[in-house]
Every structure is written in structure tokens, then in C-alpha cells.
Amino acid sequence: MKRVHALSQRERMFRRVGKVLVAVSGGADSMACLVILRELGRSSGFTVEACHFDHKLRANSGDDLDAVRTMCAGLGVECITGEGDVAAVAAQMRRGMEDAAREMRYQFLAFVAEKQGADCIATGHTANDQAETILMHIIRGSGVRGIRGMLPVSEVPGSEAQRLIRPLLECSRGETEAICAEHGITPLIDPSNEDERFTRNQVRKQLLPVLERFNPSATEALIGLGESAREAFAPIERRSFEVQPIERGPIGALFTLAAFDGVPAEALGLIIEREATFHHLSPETNRTRVKNLQEVLASGSGSVLFGDTEVEASCGFVRLGPPLETVAPFAPAVLDVPGVTRAGPGQALVRTDAIEATPSAPVAAIDSKVCSGTLRIRPAEAGDRITWHGLERKVSDLLINEKVPVWERAGMVAISDALGVVALFAAKRIFVRDGGEPDLWIRLSAVPR
């Protein structure tokens, strides 16, 4: 009790907390967590409720659900239960059983916490679980972030608005069993904990015993490594928060390239995950992809795909967001001057008096005296040229010189005549052929519904 109280004080677990939802499987760890938090709540001013999720992975899993309800009733604690067919979901989503079970469990916990008005969700993870987690992360090639193991306070996976606390991280599995015995609780034994098809069980039953032959205190050593990694990670996390976007929009978050100078790989991963979450994306980060991104950032040009999240650098800027769809080309059309001309998904309004531009309907002001022949609206093409600021230039060179990023060039529309490009509409900029006073105004907009 003293150790849990000290950890909770140090991590401010119960600050402004009125109700804690405790995830209970019926095993010794979760039941001990429920007992301890029930007692702490009486002195700290919060109440506890229990929550059990039946994964339907065993034919008699319903018996466990009933047993958990009985144990909670014996402690005078309300228990909310739910169930889900993890095997079916894992097969349908082509996910591992462990990953699918974890995701469904946390989704249910977050749902119940919101419904019941709980301020945080508590799990019974112990020091033994921490050592196993750290070892698993080492095996998988995790960086400093993963070697920290589980944090005492974190977000609920998949539900960042909810807080997850782990009050027993400094207690051993043997201690949780002793707590249950002291309170007359006979915890459930999950046979899946013996199934060595699961990675965690292999680590616990095969790998840790081997390490303990070399160091009987291997568990404590791993936990100490996690604490050191947590200290080392703090400045990395602070550095990631120093890199903030200059703009967020439908195409993602935009940064200056200079903001990434000297940002370590671990901080890059945090920035990617933070902004991807803001845009409801689920990036797949690993060491190789982050290393590739560092090379892209160093060169100032290129892109790296992190699953459904793309990070690309161009013209001194960086975009982090969903991969952009290719804009379908459309057939060239002769402009009605004056008039309205349909062109692919949009339309061009041409008038001989000034037209007001809007963010969704840009306007190019053209001097018709420098135009030759019929005006057409068409997609921009490779090899296009335009006279701009006294020089005839390749459009591709102009865009680079004017630092127009590649994501603003997709789907560019050109107004052309017999000599070349008269006006070029990029996503945020318009380039118009040199001339005198304008006497034609062309506005591009979506076709009204």
C-alpha cells in the first residue's frame, strides 16, 4: 500500500480523480489492484468500479465472467462486463490474436470509462510484466522509447482522451498473490498464460529463466534499464514538442525544413505519431523508415511512406499527412471570352472587369495584349514555359525557384495560347505572363452542385 501510494503521488495518478475504472481479468494482479485502489480511494477521495471483458477465446470463458462478478460483489465493488469475439475479429482483420485482443479490450474499457464518468482506467501490470515488456521491446529492436517499457501514466491505446494508470508497476507478481490470499480471494488462472504460442509467454517461460542463470536479478536489471531509458528519453520527448507545424490543413501538417535540423531519430518518430494522430492516421514507424526519412530531410527532397502516413520534403518545407491522390487529367477546352467554360471537375469564369478572388476560387488577372491566338484551359504539362519577371522560363524551374512544394503542384491548371502558358494555377499561388494593365480576369472554381 505504501509503495503504491508513493508511486501514485510521484506520478500524480489520482490528481483531480473522482472515479477510477479498474480493468479486472480475475487474475491475481488485477484483483490485487482492485483491492489496493479500493483502500486508497477511501483515504484519497475517489471511488472504484471494475470492468471485465470476455474475449470469448475459451468455451468456458463465460464462467470467468460470472466468477469476476462474484468476487467484485464480495468486495462491494460494481462490475461492468462486456464480451467480443476476438478470434473472429483477428481473422477478419488479419491481425495477431494478441494485438486484436488488446485493441478490443482497450476499446471496451474506454467506452465504459466514458459512460460511467471515470477519470482514468487502472490496470494491474506488475514489475514482472514490466521486465517482460522491456525484454520483448529489446528483441524487436526498439529504441530508447520502447526500452522505457510501460509508463505509470499514459494514454489509453486508441483513445488518447482517456488516461491509463498502472499503480502496481513497482509490485511483484508474488506480492499480488499474497494480497489476494490475505483478502480471501481465490484468483482465476488463465490457461492461455501457459500457451507458448504467445510471445509474452515464451519470454516469461523460456527467455527470462535463461537470463537468470547469468544474473539471478535479471528482472530487477531490466526494470532498472527501463528507468534509465525513461530518464534518457525525457529530453528527446521535449525536443519533439519543439518541432511544431506552421499550418495544419486537409493535406496534413506543414513544417519548415529548418525545424528538423538536429532532431534525433527517436524524436522524429514521436513527431510523426503526434501529427498522424491529429489527422486520424495510424503510421507504421520503424528504424529503417525513420533512417530513410533522415536522409530525405538531409537532402531536402523526397518522401517516405509510413503505412497510411506520408512525410515528404520539398522546397524548404515538410508535409506530414495522408498520401495525396493523383488528380485525374482533363481534356483541354477553349475558353469562352467572356463566359463560363467547364473544364474537368471545375469551371473557368472569364470577365472583362475585375473579379474578387476567394481561397476556393483564385483569380488570374491577364493582359490580353500579350496573348496570341485562342485561349485554352488545360492541365499543366511537362515542358511548359512562361514569361515571368522579364525572362522566359521552364515552369518546372520556376516552381523550384519560387519554392512551390511538390504537393502544391499536383493538378495544376494552365491557361495557354499559341505562345505557351499565359497563367498557371498552383494550389496556393498563381503565375501570370508578364504584361501591362490587365483587361481579362479568369476565376477557377468547383462546379456548383
Side-chain angles (χ1 to χ4, degrees):
M1 285 286 292
K2 290 180 180 178
R3 205 176 314 143
V4 172
H5 179 69
L7 176 63
S8 69
Q9 290 287 98
R10 198 162 62 241
E11 299 294 336
R12 298 182 176 182
M13 286 184 180
F14 305 119
R15 187 180 182 186
R16 292 193 294 270
V17 168
K19 181 186 290 186
V20 179
L21 184 71
V22 183
V24 291
S25 64
D29 298 344
S30 63
M31 293 308 299
C33 183
L34 183 62
V35 167
I36 288 177
L37 293 191
R38 184 192 63 168
E39 298 302 317
L40 275 180
R42 290 171 177 169
S43 59
S44 300
F46 62 83
T47 60
V48 297
E49 290 183 4
C51 184
H52 175 80
F53 183 71
D54 180 4
H55 302 84
K56 310 292 280 186
L57 291 175
R58 291 179 286 108
N60 62 342
S61 62
D63 295 341
D64 289 354
L65 187 148
D66 293 336
V68 168
R69 282 177 177 158
T70 300
M71 285 189 284
C72 290
L75 293 171
V77 176
E78 181 182 356
C79 181
I80 298 94
T81 61
E83 60 184 38
D85 193 337
V86 170
V89 171
Q92 182 181 2
M93 303 296 292
R94 296 183 180 179
R95 301 271 301 276
M97 199 79 75
E98 287 175 287
D99 287 343
R102 181 175 181 271
E103 182 174 322
M104 291 176 68
R105 180 169 63 251
Y106 278 121
Q107 283 179 349
F108 180 68
L109 287 168
F111 168 77
V112 173
E114 183 173 356
K115 183 180 178 182
Q116 297 296 113
D119 300 295
C120 60
I121 298 168
T123 63
H125 292 112
T126 65
N128 299 82
D129 296 314
Q130 181 75 302
E132 294 162 9
T133 298
I134 292 168
L135 190 50
M136 288 165 66
H137 288 173
I138 293 172
I139 294 168
R140 290 168 180 164
S142 171
V144 177
R145 181 186 183 190
I147 296 175
R148 296 178 303 164
M150 295 177 286
L151 300 180
V153 179
S154 65
E155 298 170 342
V156 175
S159 182
E160 288 72 21
Q162 298 278 359
R163 281 175 68 241
L164 181 67
I165 64 172
R166 299 179 175 95
L168 303 192
L169 273 186
E170 296 184 356
C171 302
S172 70
R173 205 166 274 151
E175 287 174 317
T176 65
E177 293 170 352
I179 289 169
C180 288
E182 182 179 339
H183 287 79
I185 297 171
T186 303
L188 302 177
I189 298 175
D190 186 351
S192 67
N193 290 336
E194 303 299 316
D195 189 343
E196 296 189 19
R197 290 177 299 175
F198 298 122
T199 304
R200 182 175 290 275
N201 294 343
Q202 292 178 31
V203 168
R204 183 177 67 253
K205 297 175 69 63
Q206 298 179 24
L207 190 52
L208 267 173
V210 172
L211 294 179
E212 287 168 351
R213 292 182 207 159
F214 295 90
N215 179 4
S217 301
T219 294
E220 291 77 8
L222 287 166
I223 293 170
L225 176 63
E227 292 171 354
S228 298
R230 189 179 175 195
E231 292 176 5
F233 192 73
I236 294 173
E237 193 169 32
R238 285 196 298 271
R239 183 69 181 92
S240 75
F241 284 114
E242 293 172 1
V243 181
Q244 293 293 330
I246 55 176
E247 179 184 334
R248 288 189 178 105
I251 66 169
L254 300 182
F255 304 80
T256 62
L257 180 62
F260 289 88
D261 288 348
V263 175
E266 292 274 355
L268 278 178
L270 288 177
I271 295 165
I272 292 168
E273 292 182 9
R274 180 190 74 211
E275 294 301 326
T277 298
F278 183 87
H279 289 87
H280 307 290
L281 300 171
S282 302
E284 299 171 4
T285 58
N286 59 39
R287 190 182 298 273
T288 301
R289 288 172 178 163
V290 172
K291 184 178 179 181
N292 292 341
L293 177 59
Q294 287 180 307
E295 294 174 358
V296 165
L297 295 173
S299 69
S301 178
S303 67
V304 179
L305 201 60
F306 295 84
D308 65 356
T309 305
E310 184 176 31
V311 185
E312 55 183 336
S314 176
C315 296
F317 296 94
V318 175
R319 184 187 73 87
L320 194 163
L324 301 181
E325 297 180 4
T326 303
V327 178
F330 58 89
V334 174
L335 282 182
D336 289 330
V337 182
V340 178
T341 306
R342 176 76 179 266
Q347 64 181 18
L349 169 65
V350 183
R351 289 177 57 171
T352 55
D353 56 336
I355 311 173
E356 185 177 351
T358 68
S360 60
V363 173
I366 296 169
D367 179 6
S368 65
K369 294 186 292 297
V370 298
C371 299
S372 176
T374 303
L375 291 179
R376 288 179 169 83
I377 181 170
R378 61 171 174 78
E381 299 173 350
D384 274 342
R385 305 181 75 87
I386 186 171
T387 301
W388 195 73
H389 286 193
L391 294 173
E392 186 184 31
R393 313 162 186 248
K394 278 187 176 181
V395 165
S396 56
D397 293 340
L398 173 64
L399 295 171
I400 292 171
N401 292 338
E402 292 301 309
K403 300 188 182 302
V404 177
V406 292
W407 49 86
E408 293 184 15
R409 305 177 201 172
M412 288 189 302
V413 173
I415 306 298
S416 65
D417 64 1
L419 301 178
V421 174
V422 176
L424 182 72
F425 291 83
K428 291 187 176 181
R429 293 198 57 181
I430 300 173
F431 300 92
V432 177
R433 179 187 290 173
D434 288 349
E437 286 296 319
D439 55 4
L440 282 181
W441 285 263
I442 303 174
R443 183 173 68 189
L444 291 189
S445 61
V447 175
R449 293 186 179 180

